[in-house]
Structures are given as C-alpha cells and as structure tokens.
C-alpha cells in the first residue's frame, strides 16, 4: 500500500493502488543509490498509484504534461522541472508551466505526448535509461473566467517520471519559441506551502513583479469561473510563480508522493472535484461548440459578487 511519510492519515486523490504490478521494482537498484529515505518513499508511493481509467472526452481538447522529478545533489528531497512560457506565446505568456502540450493524433499515448513535448520545449531526451516512468495521475482541467467559450477548456493528463541522473538537466536548453526559462522547485513545498532555509535563499522578492503578494511562500484566493467556484493557489519560486493548472497538478502529485493531505485547505468551499467538472464540460460542450460568446467582458467573479478583469481573452473564436 502507499506509505505515508508522516503520521497524518493517508488522503490521496481519486484513484487506486496497484496490486498487480509494482513499477518501482523496474527502476534499477543503482539508480536509487544516494537517494534519501524520503525520496525513495515518494517514488514508491507514486508508482503504486493508479489513476482512474481515461474516459471518452468527446469534443474537449486534450493535453499532457510531464512531471519530471529528481533529487538534487546535497539535498534529501525531490524537485520538479518547470519552465516559464515565452512572452510571445498566445496562451499564458510568461506563466510557469510543466513541459507539455496538446495530444496529437499520431501520438502513441499521453506518455508519448508528455515526453515529446518535453523534448521539443527543453531538450529532455525522448529515450534515456535515466528517465523512469512512474505513473499517470488523475486528469485536471483548465479553469476559465466568466464569459469564456467552453471550447477553450483543455483536459490535461499529468505523466510522472523520475530522472535518476540529475546531470541530464545540465544539458537542457529552452526552445526560444516556447520557453523563456528553465528552473526547479521542491515538490514538498506544494504540499506544505512552506520552504526550508536552503530553498528560500534565491526566491524572487516579495512585492516584486513575480510575487506581488504579502504571503511568504503560498497565496490563495477564491474566484468564480465558468465552472463555478475555484481556489487559485500560487507558490513563490526562484522564477515565475506556480499557479493555476500547474499548481493543481503539483498539489496532486505531492499528496500522492507524500501520502498525506495538504497542510492548507485545497479547495474553495463550493468547488467541485475535477472528475465532476470534466464530465460536465464533456456533456455540455456539444451544445455550445458553434455558439459565440458576446455576453459581456471576460472576467473572474469574486465570492462577494466582485468582478476582476481577466488578463486573457478566451473569446469564442480562439
């Protein structure tokens, strides 16, 4: 079974524990040497998790992202590979992302999609003995502001891998058409909303461009979008902040890896779980696919009736 690292009761996202196969045993013993007990337990927990089967998503756009984990030299915990999207990108420019992108018809599966996109974006090898597949996680979905067109929803499948040779990261190079920067962040920080002194040393300034918040490490606010209430999580990093869908993926990853719930409240009071949100969009999209949205500005709602302008358009034809 999944092995909690702390004494907190086990609480993981929807899914099952694999009983018929342990992918952890497929990782060569020499690839685990030098890892801390914490890191080994995290990897074992991830390999024993099995997300629910992927259902028919109908007309909804699909994508996959790669959660690439590794243990830094001289450290005892796992870090995750992240990018800052290029300023020229049409969607989410200058935002933190996991390597990934849309599922192409010729892709063998979502694992292939995530690995292919990581190769195209940062040069992570498509096939390398030091990159070990661990699992795929429960699907998440982009959350859109009010008056967005439903066809702009994207369902994303997270694919988790372990990089046993961190020197591979030394050779990564950002594709300038898609990526402005490559950086990493401790996975555990997405579980606790805190960082230790070592990981806090080079964080961006509080109150600066990348972190205009008062909180030291973790900030949240609740918004109303097309699917109802949603809690936006933001994590302070050495680069662009982790937020939105990327934070949703990493929170789920951290909960499974550490075998426990977050130390903060994960969801807004009336927020539905992602499987429910995805099912609703799959059901309703065929009735909206050919309709335009001209019912007002694209903006987020507040839980007290406020309105907040969205930084992106999400219009019908985009």
């Amino acid at each position: 079974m999944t092995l909690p690292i702390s004494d907190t009761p086990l609480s993981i996202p929807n899914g099952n524990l694999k009983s018929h196969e342990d992918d952890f045993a497929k990782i060569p013993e020499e690839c685990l040497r030098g890892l801390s007990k914490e890191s080994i337990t995290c990897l074992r927990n991830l390999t024993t998790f099995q997300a629910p089967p992927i259902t028919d998503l109908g007309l909804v756009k699909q994508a996959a992202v790669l959660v690439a984990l590794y243990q830094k030299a001289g450290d005892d915990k796992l870090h995750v590979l992240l990018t800052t999207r290029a300023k020229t990108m049409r969607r989410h420019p200058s935002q933190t992302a996991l390597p990934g992108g849309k599922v192409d018809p010729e892709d063998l599966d979502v694992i292939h999609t995530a690995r292919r996109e990581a190769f195209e974006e940062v040069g992570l090898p498509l096939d390398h003995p030091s990159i070990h597949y661990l699992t795929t996680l429960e699907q998440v979905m982009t959350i859109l502001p009010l008056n967005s067109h439903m066809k702009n929803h994207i369902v994303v499948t997270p694919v988790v891998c372990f990089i046993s040779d961190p020197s591979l990261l030394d050779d990564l190079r950002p594709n300038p058409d898609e990526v402005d920067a490559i950086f990493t962040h401790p996975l555990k920080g997405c579980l606790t909303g805190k960082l230790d002194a070592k990981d806090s040393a080079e964080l961006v300034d509080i109150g600066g461009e990348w972190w205009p918040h008062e909180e030291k490490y973790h900030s949240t606010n609740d918004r109303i979008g097309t699917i109802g209430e949603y809690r936006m999580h933001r994590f302070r990093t050495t680069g662009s902040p982790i937020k939105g869908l990327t934070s949703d993926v990493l929170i789920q990853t951290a909960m499974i890896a550490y075998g426990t719930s977050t130390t903060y409240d994960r969801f807004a009071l009336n927020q539905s779980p992602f499987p429910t949100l995805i099912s609703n969009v799959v059901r309703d999209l065929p009735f909206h696919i050919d309709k335009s949205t001209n019912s007002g500005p694209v903006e987020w709602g507040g839980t007290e009736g406020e309105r907040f302008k969205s930084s992106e358009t999400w219009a019908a034809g985009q």
Side-chain angles (χ1 to χ4, degrees):
M1 62 176 293
T2 300
L3 306 172
I5 287 177
S6 69
D7 294 329
T8 307
L10 175 63
S11 177
I12 60 175
N14 295 331
N16 302 300
L17 298 180
K18 300 175 187 175
S19 58
H20 63 285
E21 182 179 21
D22 184 1
D23 287 331
F24 183 78
K26 296 180 181 179
I27 303 176
E29 183 179 350
E30 61 268 21
C31 295
L32 301 174
R33 292 186 187 132
L35 294 184
S36 67
K37 179 181 177 182
E38 175 179 306
S39 292
I40 289 176
T41 304
C42 285
L43 297 180
R44 188 186 298 276
N45 286 345
L46 285 163
T47 58
T48 54
F49 177 81
Q50 186 173 36
I54 296 176
T55 58
D56 183 3
L57 297 175
L59 299 175
V60 181
K61 298 174 184 176
Q62 300 180 52
V65 295
L66 188 69
V67 183
L69 304 173
Y70 76 104
Q71 181 176 299
K72 279 187 174 181
D75 205 344
D76 60 357
K77 57 187 174 298
L78 296 175
H79 287 242
V80 60
L81 176 67
L82 296 166
T83 70
T84 300
R85 288 167 60 86
K87 300 179 182 67
T88 54
M89 295 292 285
R90 188 166 66 92
R91 287 287 174 229
H92 309 298
S94 298
Q95 291 190 14
T96 300
L98 294 155
K102 69 176 183 177
V103 176
D104 288 341
E106 58 270 24
D107 287 341
L108 300 175
D109 50 29
V110 291
I111 300 172
H112 179 83
T113 300
R115 292 292 302 273
R116 172 182 58 76
E117 288 284 344
F119 173 72
E120 293 173 1
E121 292 179 10
V122 299
L124 188 69
L126 276 171
D127 185 19
H128 196 283
S130 295
I131 302 177
H132 313 274
Y133 167 77
L134 301 181
T135 192
T136 57
L137 303 183
E138 180 181 291
Q139 293 175 319
V140 298
M141 185 178 68
T142 51
I143 307 298
L144 306 181
L146 298 168
N147 297 322
S148 304
H149 196 287
M150 285 189 64
K151 70 180 181 181
N152 286 314
H153 283 293
I154 303 174
V155 172
V156 177
T157 304
V159 175
V160 188
C161 73
F162 167 58
I163 300 175
S164 58
D165 181 4
S167 67
L168 280 181
L169 278 69
D170 298 337
D171 297 325
L172 300 185
R173 297 293 181 269
N175 177 342
D177 292 332
E178 300 186 59
V179 174
D180 275 348
I182 301 171
F183 65 105
T184 68
H185 191 76
L187 179 65
K188 195 172 187 177
C190 296
L191 182 77
T192 64
K194 299 177 182 179
L195 297 175
D196 60 27
K198 180 188 297 185
D199 292 317
S200 301
E202 298 182 2
L203 296 178
V204 296
D205 293 336
I206 294 178
E209 175 188 2
W210 289 121
W211 192 253
H213 310 288
E214 296 180 356
E215 294 86 352
K216 192 171 184 180
Y217 299 118
H218 175 224
S219 172
T220 67
N221 66 283
D222 293 349
R223 291 286 184 262
I224 308 295
T226 55
I227 50 77
E229 201 165 331
Y230 171 71
R231 175 156 294 163
M232 170 72 75
H233 293 273
R234 302 178 186 86
F235 297 94
R236 184 178 167 216
T237 74
T238 58
S240 48
I242 299 169
K243 64 179 184 178
L245 183 139
T246 301
S247 67
D248 293 328
V249 170
L250 293 183
I251 289 169
Q252 180 189 176
T253 306
M255 287 175 61
I256 296 168
Y258 285 91
T260 187
S261 299
T262 56
T263 58
Y264 49 82
D265 291 333
R266 183 183 178 194
F267 296 114
L269 180 62
N270 297 309
Q271 183 174 341
S272 298
F274 276 107
T276 300
L277 298 177
I278 292 171
S279 295
N280 291 344
V281 171
V282 171
R283 178 197 64 203
D284 296 340
L285 182 56
F287 303 101
H288 295 267
I289 195 70
D290 295 324
K291 297 179 182 179
S292 61
T293 55
N294 297 308
S295 55
V298 177
E299 57 189 5
W300 293 100
T303 55
E304 303 296 327
E306 317 97 306
R307 287 292 184 268
F308 304 90
K309 184 178 178 181
S310 172
S311 60
E312 301 193 46
T313 58
W314 299 108
Q318 299 179 346

